[in-house]
C-alpha cells in the first residue's frame, strides 16, 4: 500500500499488536502429525510481530522482500515491511499461502485499520465432511479431467539463464478506460464474467511475445483460482479456500479473439456444470492423507516439469481501503506468490474504480524490455478494442 504521508514504524507496530486478528495469527501454527497430515493449532503464547524498516528513494519494492521465502515452521507465517521514502511510506504485508488467501489477508488488514473490529466470525474453517468413497470418486473425476485437458503438446517456457531475480511491472487503466473495458466484457463474455475476456486479451499479447522469441505456437494450459466461500461470507479466515478452474487456450484460436473468448466461456461454464472446482477441492482434502509424491504425479508432467505456460488470477477489489492508520492510500498492488516455473504471472485487481494489471516475472525467463513491450501490447488489445 502506497500512502500519501510518512507512517511511523511504532504506530504500525502498535496497531498490529492491538489487532484481535493478529493476536490470533501470532499464535497460529501448523503442526505435522506422525502420519504427516498437517493440523492447525493455537499456541498458548504468541510470538510478537516485528516490522522491518527500509529506506528507499525508489518506488520499487526492495529485492529482499520480493524474493523472500517464509518458512512453514519456526515462527509467524506472515511478515510486515515498512519502506520509508523521502515524503511517504509503503506498507508491505506478505504471508505464506498456506496461512491465508487474499480474502483472509483483506480482513486481517482491515482489523489493523479499524480498532472497532474485535469479533472474528469464523477463524478456523470446518470443511464439509464427505465419505472416503465420495472423496475418492471426486479425486478420480478431477484426475481424469486434468489428464484430458493437459495432453501434449502444451507450451513450456525454458529459462534462458540462471538469474533468478523476481521483478514486476504494472499497468493502471483510467476510470474511463476501465468503464469501456467492462462494456466489452458485458458485450462479449457469457454472463458478463470477466475472466474469459481479460484472459483472451492477455494471451493475444503474450503470444506476440512468444512468437518474437521464436517459440513454436502451442496450446497454453492455465489454472485459475476460484473462490469457494459463499457470496457475502465472513470466514473462514485461516487457510486457502480456493479451488481451481482449468483452461486450455487453443493455439488455433490465438488469432481470433472473439472465438477465444467464446471457447474460454464455454470451458468455464462446463467446469462449473460438472462440479470440477468442488471435486478438485475434495481431491486436495483427500491427498492430505496420501503421500505427497501422489499429488505431484497428478499435477506435474511425467518428468516432473510444470504443466502451466503462464499463471493468471484476480485479487479482491480494495475499493474500501481508502485510508490506513490516518494516511490516505494512494495505490495498492497485490502480488501473486513467487512461482517459477512458468516464470510469469498475471494478476488483475481494481482500486479507486480503476482496473490494474500486474505482471510478476522471473528474469531467468523474461527480460525487462520484453515485459514492457508485453504491457504495451496488452494495453493495445484492451484499449484498441474500445477505441
Amino acid at each position: 500500500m502506497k500512502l500519501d504521508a510518512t507512517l511511523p514504524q511504532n504506530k504500525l507496530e502498535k496497531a498490529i499488536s492491538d489487532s484481535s486478528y493478529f493476536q490470533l495469527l501470532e499464535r497460529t501454527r501448523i503442526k505435522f502429525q506422525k502420519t504427516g497430515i498437517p493440523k492447525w493449532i493455537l499456541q498458548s503464547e504468541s510470538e510478537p510481530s516485528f516490522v522491518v524498516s527500509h529506506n528507499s528513494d525508489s518506488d520499487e519494492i526492495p529485492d529482499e522482500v520480493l524474493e523472500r521465502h517464509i518458512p512453514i515452521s519456526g515462527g509467524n507465517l506472515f511478515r510486515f515491511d515498512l519502506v520509508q521514502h523521502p515524503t511517504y511510506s509503503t506498507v508491505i504485508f506478505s504471508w505464506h499461502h498456506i496461512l491465508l488467501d487474499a480474502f483472509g489477508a483483506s480482513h486481517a488488514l482491515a482489523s489493523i485499520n479499524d480498532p472497532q473490529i474485535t469479533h472474528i466470525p469464523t477463524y478456523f474453517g470446518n470443511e464439509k465432511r464427505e465419505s472416503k468413497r465420495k472423496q475418492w470418486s471426486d479425486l478420480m473425476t478431477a484426475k481424469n479431467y486434468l489428464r484430458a485437458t493437459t495432453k501434449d503438446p502444451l507450451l513450456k517456457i525454458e529459462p534462458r539463464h540462471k538469474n533468478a531475480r523476481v521483478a514486476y511491472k504494472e499497468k493502471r487503466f483510467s476510470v474511463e478506460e476501465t468503464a469501456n473495458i467492462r462494456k466489452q466484457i458485458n458485450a462479449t463474455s457469457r454472463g458478463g464474467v470477466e475472466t474469459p475476456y481479460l484472459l483472451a486479451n492477455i494471451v493475444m499479447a503474450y503470444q506476440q511475445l512468444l512468437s518474437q522469441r521464436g517459440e513454436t505456437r502451442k496450446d497454453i494450459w492455465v489454472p485459475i483460482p476460484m473462490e469457494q466461500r459463499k457470496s457475502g461470507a465472513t470466514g473462514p479466515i485461516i487457510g486457502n479456500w480456493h479451488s481451481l478452474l482449468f483452461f486450455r487456450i487453443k493455439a488455433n484460436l490465438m488469432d481470433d479473439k472473439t472465438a477465444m473468448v467464446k471457447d474460454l466461456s464455454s470451458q468455464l461454464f462446463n467446469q462449473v456444470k460438472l462440479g470440477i472446482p468442488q471435486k478438485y477441492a475434495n481431491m486436495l482434502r483427500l491427498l492430505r492423507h496420501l503421500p505427497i509424491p501422489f499429488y505431484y504425479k497428478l499435477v506435474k508432467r511425467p518428468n516432473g516439469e510444470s504443466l502451466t505456460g503462464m499463471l493468471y488470477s484476480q485479487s479482491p477489489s480494495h475499493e474500501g481501503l481508502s485510508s490506513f492508520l490516518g494516511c490516505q492510500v494512494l495505490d495498492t498492488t497485490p502480488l501473486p506468490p513467487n512461482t517459477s516455473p512458468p516464470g510469469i504471472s498475471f494478476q488483475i485487481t481494481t482500486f479507486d474504480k480503476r482496473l490494474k494489471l500486474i505482471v510478476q516475472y522471473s528474469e531467468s525467463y523474461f527480460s525487462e524490455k520484453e515485459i514492457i513491450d508485453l504491457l504495451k501490447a496488452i494495453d493495445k488489445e484492451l484499449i484498441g478494442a474500445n477505441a
Side-chain angles (χ1 to χ4, degrees), residues 48-118:
S49 307
F50 296 99
V51 176
V52 179
S53 184
H54 312 261
N55 294 306
S56 177
D57 293 327
S58 166
D59 285 337
E60 300 291 327
I61 295 175
D63 286 348
E64 61 266 30
V65 178
L66 278 177
E67 296 172 10
R68 171 181 290 148
H69 292 272
I70 299 176
I72 200 170
S73 59
N76 290 331
L77 294 171
F78 63 90
R79 302 287 187 271
F80 274 96
D81 293 86
L82 182 63
V83 184
Q84 300 291 16
H85 308 275
T87 58
Y88 67 94
S89 297
T90 300
V91 178
I92 305 170
F93 176 48
S94 51
W95 64 92
H96 196 294
H97 72 92
I98 203 170
L99 177 69
L100 299 167
D101 55 22
F103 176 94
S106 296
H107 275 260
L109 286 174
S111 74
I112 293 177
N113 208 29
D114 185 356
Q116 301 302 315
I117 298 178
T118 58

Side-chain angles (χ1 to χ4, degrees), residues 303-336:
N303 59 2
E305 295 174 340
S306 173
L307 290 164
T308 59
M310 55 175 270
L311 296 173
Y312 173 92
S313 60
Q314 290 182 245
S315 73
S317 168
H318 296 279
E319 295 293 0
L321 195 63
S322 59
S323 64
F324 187 78
L325 298 180
C327 299
Q328 182 183 352
V329 178
L330 300 179
D331 197 10
T332 63
T333 301
L335 290 176

Side-chain angles (χ1 to χ4, degrees), residues 172-233:
R172 195 177 182 194
F173 297 92
S174 70
V175 174
E176 182 181 3
E177 289 170 339
T178 299
N180 286 332
I181 290 170
R182 298 208 183 283
K183 286 181 182 178
Q184 285 295 317
I185 291 171
N186 291 331
T188 62
S189 188
R190 181 179 168 187
V193 179
E194 293 182 348
T195 296
Y197 182 78
L198 295 175
L199 183 58
N201 279 272
I202 288 171
V203 169
M204 295 285 286
Y206 186 44
Q207 178 54 43
Q208 294 175 34
L209 167 60
L210 296 175
S211 177
Q212 291 166 4
R213 287 165 62 109
E215 300 280 355
T216 302
R217 182 178 293 198
K218 296 179 181 178
D219 291 3
I220 302 175
W221 190 75
V222 186
I224 297 181
M226 179 182 179
E227 174 66 73
Q228 289 292 285
R229 299 178 182 88
K230 293 182 179 179
S231 178

